[in-house]
Every structure is written in C-alpha cells, then in structure tokens.
C-alpha cells in the first residue's frame, strides 16, 4: 500500500483545520435568519418596518405647495425630491404650524451637487465655489425650484462678447445692461452712429449701493457722499466685474 508523501501530511492538516475554522466562523458570525428570503438578513425586514417614518415624499408637499411643485416639475430640478434640500418633512405634514422644514441658505448646500468634480457627467452645471460669486448666496441669483443659468441680454452679448463673458460670472450677472447704460433704439441698427451712453455720475451705482437704497440687503452699501470723494465709482471699481466684498 502506497503511503502519502511525508511533506503532504502537514498540508493536509492545515487544510482540514482551515475548512473547520471556516464552518465554525460561519456558524458564529452569519445571522440565523440570513438567506430565508434572499441574500439578506430576514430579521432586518421587521426592524426596518418598525422604524419611525421621517420622510413624507414629494407628493405630500404638492398637496399644499402645488405652485412650487408644478414649477419644479417643469425645471431642471424635476428629479430632485423636495426633501433632498429641505430635509425630512413628515413632522411638517403632521403638524404644519409646529414644524417648518429648513430652507438651505448661504453657499454650503448647492455645491454638494454643483461644485466642480471631473467625474460628473459632461454638461452638468458645475462651478468653483471659491471664485464663483464668492460670498453671495446661491439663491440670490438662482431660483432653486426653477434653476436657469443667468446671462446678459443676447442683443448686447452679440457685439460685446468679452464684456458679457466677464459680467456673466460677476456679482452683476443679473443686472441688465440697460440699468446702467442708456441705449437708444437706433443703436441696434447703427451702433456706431447712435452710441449707448455710459453713466455720468455715481448716482447710477447709488441706486443699489447707497446706504439708503431699497435694494437687497446682500448688496454692499456705502456712504455715496463720503466714499471715494470726488472720484466716480468706476475710477476704482470695474463695473462689469466688481471686486468689492461684503
């Protein structure tokens, strides 16, 4: 009778011990209900079903906020559930006056999806948060329920492309060109014969930036009498890409 080679004996012992350890480990570590219904722990079904509901779903929001819901459904954010931005809303649905979901503020939330990341799909709107209108809340320029990319009037950008491109990424992106410039109708047909007029005094800037202006509180304010003295605003600030911070 042939005997096993001596060098195979310790390998056989190690193999038997390893297989035995595997069965013992499986018996001790794998939950008893694993695999009853599928490749998961069957007891987890009851545990999950017993958890408290915190999310209500977008359809629950539509019952009271149909205008906002309809607006969002026809926008680029149609696939973004309300609770992605506002958080769990079940408590609000149960008691609207006692709990109001939070509204995202500032600049920390939107870049979670729109901050530059090369792995995101081509064409997905992305920004560099540190340089894109730094310090300004996203909602100041973008309607979150119907986000569209702001751009200057096409009739201006067709000829003034360089200025339009700078203004597009500046704090003045939503300020129409005609807020500061007086544009005669003839300028569109004969631009060299009927020039658009530039502001003549700092009062134009004061419409938004004067201390007593009625514009948004996020807009930087100055004392138009004392700030800059006899100089015009554009002697120090480039109006198409103003660098002042709040």
């Amino acid at each position: 009778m042939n005997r096993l080679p001596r060098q195979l004996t310790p390998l056989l012992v190690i193999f038997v011990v390893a297989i035995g350890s595997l069965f013992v480990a499986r018996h001790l570590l794998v939950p008893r209900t694993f695999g009853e219904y599928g490749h998961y722990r069957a007891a987890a079904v009851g545990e999950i079903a017993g958890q408290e509901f915190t999310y209500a779903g977008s359809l629950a929001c539509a019952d009271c906020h149909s205008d906002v819901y309809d607006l969002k459904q026809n926008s680029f954010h149609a696939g973004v559930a309300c609770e992605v931005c506002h958080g769990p809303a079940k408590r609000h649905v149960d008691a609207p006056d006692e709990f109001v979901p939070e509204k995202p503020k500032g600049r920390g939330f939107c870049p979670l999806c729109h901050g530059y990341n090369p792995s995101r799909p081509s064409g997905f709107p992305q920004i560099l948060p540190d340089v894109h209108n730094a310090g300004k809340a996203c909602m100041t320029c973008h309607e979150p329920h119907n986000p569209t990319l702001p751009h200057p009037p096409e009739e201006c950008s067709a000829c003034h492309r360089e200025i339009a491109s700078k203004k597009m990424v500046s704090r003045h992106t939503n300020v129409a060109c005609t807020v500061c410039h007086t544009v005669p109708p003839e300028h569109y047909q004969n631009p060299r014969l009927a020039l658009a007029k530039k502001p003549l005094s700092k009062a134009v800037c004061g419409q938004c930036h004067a201390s007593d202006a009625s514009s948004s509180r996020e807009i930087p304010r100055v004392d138009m009498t004392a700030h800059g003295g006899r100089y015009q605003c554009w002697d120090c600030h480039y109006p198409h890409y103003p660098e002042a911070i709040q």
Side-chain angles (χ1 to χ4, degrees):
M1 180 178 179
N2 295 330
R3 299 181 58 184
L4 287 174
R6 292 181 57 187
Q7 61 270 32
L8 290 182
T9 302
L11 292 177
L12 183 60
V13 172
I14 293 174
F15 179 76
V16 172
V17 171
I19 294 297
S21 300
L22 180 63
F23 278 99
V24 172
R26 186 182 188 285
H27 177 74
L28 295 176
L29 300 178
V30 176
R32 297 184 181 280
T33 60
F34 181 84
E36 288 186 10
Y37 303 136
H39 196 71
Y40 57 91
R41 187 167 58 90
V45 176
E47 295 174 7
I48 295 173
Q51 291 181 355
E52 180 183 0
F53 284 96
T54 57
Y55 287 86
S58 294
L59 293 180
C61 305
D63 289 343
C64 298
H65 305 283
S66 58
D67 54 339
V68 176
Y69 181 81
D70 293 339
L71 179 65
K72 189 176 76 65
Q73 289 305 103
N74 294 307
S75 79
F76 291 116
H77 276 179
V80 181
C82 306
E83 290 163 306
V84 170
C85 301
H86 295 285
K90 179 67 165 53
R91 291 172 58 194
H92 178 63
V93 172
D94 294 339
D97 296 331
E98 297 178 7
F99 177 78
V100 178
E102 294 185 3
K103 295 180 180 178
K105 299 178 180 178
R107 300 173 54 84
F109 190 78
C110 301
L112 294 176
C113 293
H114 295 289
Y116 178 71
N117 186 331
S119 66
R120 290 194 168 120
S122 176
F124 188 84
Q126 300 183 64
I127 63 165
L128 295 174
D130 292 338
V131 298
H132 180 82
N133 285 329
K136 201 169 187 178
C138 305
M139 294 74 182
T140 304
C141 300
H142 304 277
E143 161 57 70
H145 300 119
N146 184 18
T148 54
L149 298 177
H151 59 84
E154 294 297 335
E155 63 268 25
C156 299
S157 62
C159 297
H160 306 282
R161 172 56 63 186
E162 183 177 355
I163 292 176
S165 297
K166 289 183 178 178
K167 185 172 172 291
M168 185 183 300
V169 295
S170 81
R171 297 169 188 276
H172 279 176
T173 185
N174 281 344
V175 179
C177 303
T178 51
V179 170
C180 303
H181 297 279
T182 302
V183 184
E186 296 79 10
H187 179 70
Y188 299 104
Q189 283 76 40
N190 297 292
R192 295 185 183 279
L193 297 179
L195 297 176
K197 295 181 180 178
K198 298 179 180 179
L200 298 177
S201 73
K202 59 173 63 176
V204 174
C205 303
Q207 296 177 83
C208 298
H209 296 287
S211 303
D212 57 350
S214 59
S215 52
S216 170
R217 293 184 178 182
E218 294 184 340
I219 295 177
R221 305 304 177 88
V222 296
D223 183 337
M224 299 300 295
T225 302
H227 185 78
R230 62 186 176 86
Y231 295 99
Q232 299 291 357
C233 304
W234 44 90
D235 289 334
C236 301
H237 305 277
Y238 180 53
H240 299 126
Y241 198 124
E243 79 287 359
I245 61 175
Q246 297 181 46

